[in-house]
Amino acid sequence: MSDTIIYWFSGTGNSLHTARSIAEGLKGKTEMISIADAMRSKDPLKSAPRMGLVFPIYGCGPPLIVQRFMRKLPTEHVSFVFAAATYAGMLGAGGSITSRLLERRGLKLNAMYAIKMPENYPPMGGPPKSEKRERLLREAEEKIQHVITDLNREEPNGMDQANVFSRTAGKIGNPLFVRNVLKADKKFYADEKCTQCGICAAVCPVENIFLKNGTPVWQHHCEQCFACLHWCPEAAVQYGGRSPHQPRYHHPKVELNDIMPSERIISEPDEETI
């Protein structure tokens, strides 16, 4: 059995880099498992004495897939749980939602860390300019090292808290986000630059995209991770009217092969399933 298992979810690599860095820095044997892969798998979820959750903040809270995953978390052998959330705007209700869902499983959130990263959400304006982006990445590395140091203590005590405004925004905003997120992909489209390479479909962590006559079609169970938009090599995937003018972003230490599932069906389904 591993000493620590880190379950992670990531679209553009901020949370994957965070999870990987923490795993490399922790004492003892640590295993990393993709939440998206775990949710698709028919195998039982693995547990360990220490369990970590690493995820981005979407709509002032954990992504919907992460919330669903936490409702299934194994509890056997688990004595310590930590979460590390990457965010750009605010932590919102990320900590309180995580704590509440863990409590429903009979688990306690022992440590919560918030790591500010560059923005990657097109409706909010997209990635910052290079100077600010580099500063945020440097500060994130410092925070990740702080997380590792704290987790390697005999009694970790890190507990990042959002301010009252942020928590209130999350309490109100996250339920609205969750209610509408699955069909929010109606604004996605591929423009004339699309080469029908299929990367958008292959990189989607929840298999929300298939290729119809070579063109991507979104199937309305989206998580709003924007992996399809940011990893498109031609910047051909768009979301609404603002994204054509925005730069693309992925964490500089994460490559496409790092984030793309090893097995993925991207071909067009049968007509009756469309």
Side-chain angles (χ1 to χ4, degrees):
M1 178 186 292
S2 298
D3 299 294
T4 304
I5 290 178
I6 296 178
Y7 284 104
W8 61 273
F9 178 78
S10 188
T12 60
N14 285 341
S15 293
L16 173 54
H17 171 71
T18 299
R20 192 159 55 187
S21 298
I22 293 173
E24 291 172 353
L26 290 182
K27 298 175 182 178
K29 181 181 178 181
T30 301
E31 182 177 0
M32 286 178 56
I33 300 175
S34 160
I35 288 176
D37 288 348
M39 290 291 278
R40 283 191 297 269
S41 176
K42 295 180 181 179
D43 296 331
L45 294 175
K46 294 183 178 181
S47 64
R50 179 165 58 180
M51 191 152 55
L53 300 165
V54 182
F55 53 83
I57 294 295
Y58 294 167
C60 295
L64 179 57
I65 187 174
V66 177
Q67 296 190 35
R68 295 200 309 267
F69 176 75
M70 284 192 277
R71 294 186 177 99
K72 299 180 178 182
L73 273 175
T75 60
E76 189 177 10
H77 307 303
V78 180
S79 57
F80 185 94
V81 181
F82 71 90
T86 61
Y87 73 102
M90 60 178 69
L91 179 61
S96 58
I97 291 173
T98 301
S99 180
R100 183 174 70 249
L101 290 174
L102 289 175
E103 286 178 1
R104 290 177 182 174
R105 294 293 295 160
L107 298 169
K108 178 183 178 181
L109 180 61
N110 301 101
M112 177 76 197
Y113 308 99
I115 301 162
K116 191 172 181 64
M117 287 277 193
E119 178 68 73
N120 55 18
Y121 189 55
M124 296 299 291
K129 294 182 179 180
S130 58
E131 183 177 341
K132 181 178 180 181
R133 184 169 65 245
E134 293 304 317
R135 175 178 58 80
L136 287 169
L137 289 170
R138 288 195 303 270
E139 292 173 353
E141 290 299 320
E142 294 174 1
K143 182 59 181 285
I144 291 171
Q145 290 306 310
H146 165 78
V147 171
I148 294 169
T149 299
D150 189 63
L151 288 173
N152 280 331
R153 291 160 50 102
E154 186 172 337
E155 295 184 6
N157 57 10
M159 190 61 73
D160 290 341
Q161 298 280 358
N163 59 38
V164 174
F165 173 80
S166 181
R167 293 198 303 272
T168 302
K171 184 177 180 180
I172 298 171
N174 189 255
L176 295 174
F177 177 85
V178 167
R179 188 180 308 157
N180 297 296
V181 65
L182 296 180
K183 295 185 178 181
D185 60 3
K186 293 179 180 180
K187 293 184 179 181
F188 279 112
Y189 63 96
D191 67 19
E192 69 282 355
K193 297 190 297 294
C194 178
T195 62
Q196 302 183 345
C197 68
I199 286 177
C200 56
V203 79
C204 177
V206 292
E207 299 179 319
N208 183 48
I209 304 170
F210 71 84
L211 300 182
K212 182 178 178 65
N213 298 323
T215 300
V217 178
W218 285 259
Q219 301 178 77
H220 312 314
H221 52 87
C222 180
E223 289 287 339
Q224 290 280 280
C225 74
F226 287 91
C228 58
L229 183 146
H230 287 291
W231 289 102
C232 174
E234 304 298 329
V237 175
Q238 310 297 349
Y239 187 82
R242 299 179 67 183
S243 69
H245 311 290
Q246 296 172 352
R248 272 39 178 175
Y249 168 86
H250 63 80
H251 194 281
K253 295 184 179 180
V254 174
E255 302 294 335
L256 178 62
N257 288 338
D258 296 330
I259 207 154
M260 186 184 295
S262 57
E263 297 182 4
R264 177 59 52 85
I265 298 174
I266 64 173
S267 58
E268 181 179 349
D270 295 335
E271 285 293 327
E272 60 265 24
T273 66
I274 299 176

